[in-house]
mmCIF file of all heavy atoms in Angstrom:
data_model
loop_
_atom_site.group_PDB
_atom_site.id
_atom_site.type_symbol
_atom_site.label_atom_id
_atom_site.label_comp_id
_atom_site.label_asym_id
_atom_site.label_seq_id
_atom_site.Cartn_x
_atom_site.Cartn_y
_atom_site.Cartn_z
ATOM 1 N N GLN A 219 118.397 34.972 157.205
ATOM 2 C CA GLN A 219 117.902 35.866 156.113
ATOM 3 C C GLN A 219 116.541 36.407 156.369
ATOM 4 O O GLN A 219 116.238 37.570 156.159
ATOM 5 C CB GLN A 219 117.826 35.074 154.787
ATOM 6 C CG GLN A 219 119.189 34.755 154.171
ATOM 7 C CD GLN A 219 118.980 33.740 152.993
ATOM 8 O OE1 GLN A 219 117.898 33.298 152.664
ATOM 9 N NE2 GLN A 219 120.126 33.392 152.363
ATOM 10 N N LEU A 220 115.685 35.563 156.951
ATOM 11 C CA LEU A 220 114.313 36.030 157.269
ATOM 12 C C LEU A 220 114.319 37.086 158.295
ATOM 13 O O LEU A 220 113.607 38.096 158.225
ATOM 14 C CB LEU A 220 113.468 34.836 157.718
ATOM 15 C CG LEU A 220 112.552 34.196 156.668
ATOM 16 C CD1 LEU A 220 111.739 33.109 157.350
ATOM 17 C CD2 LEU A 220 111.561 35.231 156.102
ATOM 18 N N TYR A 221 115.134 36.917 159.325
ATOM 19 C CA TYR A 221 115.255 37.909 160.397
ATOM 20 C C TYR A 221 115.655 39.239 159.814
ATOM 21 O O TYR A 221 115.124 40.282 160.121
ATOM 22 C CB TYR A 221 116.303 37.435 161.468
ATOM 23 C CG TYR A 221 115.687 36.923 162.693
ATOM 24 C CD1 TYR A 221 115.986 35.657 163.127
ATOM 25 C CD2 TYR A 221 114.816 37.671 163.439
ATOM 26 C CE1 TYR A 221 115.420 35.097 164.278
ATOM 27 C CE2 TYR A 221 114.238 37.166 164.576
ATOM 28 C CZ TYR A 221 114.542 35.882 164.988
ATOM 29 O OH TYR A 221 113.980 35.367 166.102
ATOM 30 N N ARG A 222 116.698 39.186 158.951
ATOM 31 C CA ARG A 222 117.175 40.426 158.366
ATOM 32 C C ARG A 222 116.107 41.062 157.503
ATOM 33 O O ARG A 222 115.995 42.298 157.473
ATOM 34 C CB ARG A 222 118.518 40.195 157.611
ATOM 35 C CG ARG A 222 119.680 40.237 158.587
ATOM 36 C CD ARG A 222 120.984 40.177 157.876
ATOM 37 N NE ARG A 222 121.303 38.782 157.409
ATOM 38 C CZ ARG A 222 121.414 38.407 156.188
ATOM 39 N NH1 ARG A 222 121.276 39.259 155.200
ATOM 40 N NH2 ARG A 222 121.648 37.160 155.884
ATOM 41 N N THR A 223 115.329 40.281 156.771
ATOM 42 C CA THR A 223 114.275 40.809 155.966
ATOM 43 C C THR A 223 113.262 41.542 156.829
ATOM 44 O O THR A 223 112.863 42.705 156.507
ATOM 45 C CB THR A 223 113.546 39.671 155.208
ATOM 46 O OG1 THR A 223 114.548 38.906 154.510
ATOM 47 C CG2 THR A 223 112.538 40.195 154.177
ATOM 48 N N LEU A 224 112.904 40.918 157.898
ATOM 49 C CA LEU A 224 111.892 41.572 158.796
ATOM 50 C C LEU A 224 112.418 42.851 159.405
ATOM 51 O O LEU A 224 111.728 43.876 159.485
ATOM 52 C CB LEU A 224 111.497 40.602 159.919
ATOM 53 C CG LEU A 224 110.715 39.367 159.404
ATOM 54 C CD1 LEU A 224 110.410 38.406 160.566
ATOM 55 C CD2 LEU A 224 109.362 39.745 158.754
ATOM 56 N N LYS A 225 113.696 42.875 159.736
ATOM 57 C CA LYS A 225 114.313 44.102 160.278
ATOM 58 C C LYS A 225 114.312 45.227 159.280
ATOM 59 O O LYS A 225 113.976 46.337 159.571
ATOM 60 C CB LYS A 225 115.803 43.808 160.675
ATOM 61 C CG LYS A 225 115.888 43.402 162.097
ATOM 62 C CD LYS A 225 117.334 43.522 162.562
ATOM 63 C CE LYS A 225 117.552 42.667 163.811
ATOM 64 N NZ LYS A 225 118.741 41.835 163.760
ATOM 65 N N GLU A 226 114.624 44.879 158.040
ATOM 66 C CA GLU A 226 114.615 45.878 156.973
ATOM 67 C C GLU A 226 113.155 46.423 156.783
ATOM 68 O O GLU A 226 113.022 47.585 156.540
ATOM 69 C CB GLU A 226 115.059 45.242 155.634
ATOM 70 C CG GLU A 226 116.478 44.725 155.635
ATOM 71 C CD GLU A 226 117.454 45.656 154.937
ATOM 72 O OE1 GLU A 226 117.203 46.856 154.912
ATOM 73 O OE2 GLU A 226 118.450 45.096 154.443
ATOM 74 N N LEU A 227 112.182 45.548 156.880
ATOM 75 C CA LEU A 227 110.815 46.043 156.674
ATOM 76 C C LEU A 227 110.400 46.914 157.789
ATOM 77 O O LEU A 227 109.737 47.958 157.584
ATOM 78 C CB LEU A 227 109.857 44.788 156.563
ATOM 79 C CG LEU A 227 110.065 43.919 155.310
ATOM 80 C CD1 LEU A 227 109.365 42.583 155.453
ATOM 81 C CD2 LEU A 227 109.559 44.713 154.085
ATOM 82 N N ARG A 228 110.745 46.570 159.025
ATOM 83 C CA ARG A 228 110.411 47.389 160.145
ATOM 84 C C ARG A 228 111.138 48.784 160.027
ATOM 85 O O ARG A 228 110.622 49.826 160.401
ATOM 86 C CB ARG A 228 110.767 46.791 161.495
ATOM 87 C CG ARG A 228 109.778 45.726 161.977
ATOM 88 C CD ARG A 228 108.337 46.251 162.074
ATOM 89 N NE ARG A 228 108.198 47.316 163.045
ATOM 90 C CZ ARG A 228 107.512 48.430 162.865
ATOM 91 N NH1 ARG A 228 106.872 48.579 161.758
ATOM 92 N NH2 ARG A 228 107.435 49.321 163.801
ATOM 93 N N ALA A 229 112.344 48.778 159.516
ATOM 94 C CA ALA A 229 113.130 49.996 159.396
ATOM 95 C C ALA A 229 112.448 50.999 158.437
ATOM 96 O O ALA A 229 112.713 52.202 158.565
ATOM 97 C CB ALA A 229 114.555 49.675 158.938
ATOM 98 N N VAL A 230 111.601 50.550 157.522
ATOM 99 C CA VAL A 230 110.848 51.464 156.706
ATOM 100 C C VAL A 230 109.360 51.526 157.102
ATOM 101 O O VAL A 230 108.538 51.886 156.338
ATOM 102 C CB VAL A 230 111.032 51.162 155.168
ATOM 103 C CG1 VAL A 230 112.419 51.416 154.699
ATOM 104 C CG2 VAL A 230 110.548 49.764 154.832
ATOM 105 N N ASP A 231 109.163 51.128 158.366
ATOM 106 C CA ASP A 231 107.842 51.302 158.991
ATOM 107 C C ASP A 231 106.736 50.477 158.383
ATOM 108 O O ASP A 231 105.582 50.895 158.321
ATOM 109 C CB ASP A 231 107.401 52.755 158.926
ATOM 110 C CG ASP A 231 107.856 53.519 160.217
ATOM 111 O OD1 ASP A 231 108.032 52.831 161.227
ATOM 112 O OD2 ASP A 231 108.057 54.738 160.115
ATOM 113 N N VAL A 232 107.037 49.335 157.823
ATOM 114 C CA VAL A 232 105.993 48.436 157.370
ATOM 115 C C VAL A 232 105.199 47.972 158.539
ATOM 116 O O VAL A 232 105.740 47.525 159.538
ATOM 117 C CB VAL A 232 106.560 47.280 156.520
ATOM 118 C CG1 VAL A 232 105.488 46.276 156.160
ATOM 119 C CG2 VAL A 232 107.222 47.807 155.263
ATOM 120 N N ASP A 233 103.827 48.043 158.452
ATOM 121 C CA ASP A 233 103.041 47.730 159.636
ATOM 122 C C ASP A 233 102.625 46.251 159.703
ATOM 123 O O ASP A 233 102.461 45.787 160.763
ATOM 124 C CB ASP A 233 101.681 48.543 159.508
ATOM 125 C CG ASP A 233 101.895 50.006 159.535
ATOM 126 O OD1 ASP A 233 102.426 50.499 160.556
ATOM 127 O OD2 ASP A 233 101.637 50.703 158.521
ATOM 128 N N VAL A 234 102.399 45.693 158.538
ATOM 129 C CA VAL A 234 101.733 44.296 158.506
ATOM 130 C C VAL A 234 102.582 43.398 157.655
ATOM 131 O O VAL A 234 103.083 43.749 156.581
ATOM 132 C CB VAL A 234 100.349 44.390 157.930
ATOM 133 C CG1 VAL A 234 99.684 43.018 157.930
ATOM 134 C CG2 VAL A 234 99.485 45.323 158.726
#
Side-chain angles (χ1 to χ4, degrees):
Q219 287 171 359
L220 260 182
Y221 259 122
R222 277 187 283 114
T223 308
L224 293 176
K225 270 198 199 130
E226 298 257 27
L227 292 167
R228 282 303 299 134
V230 293
D231 270 334
V232 172
D233 298 297
V234 178

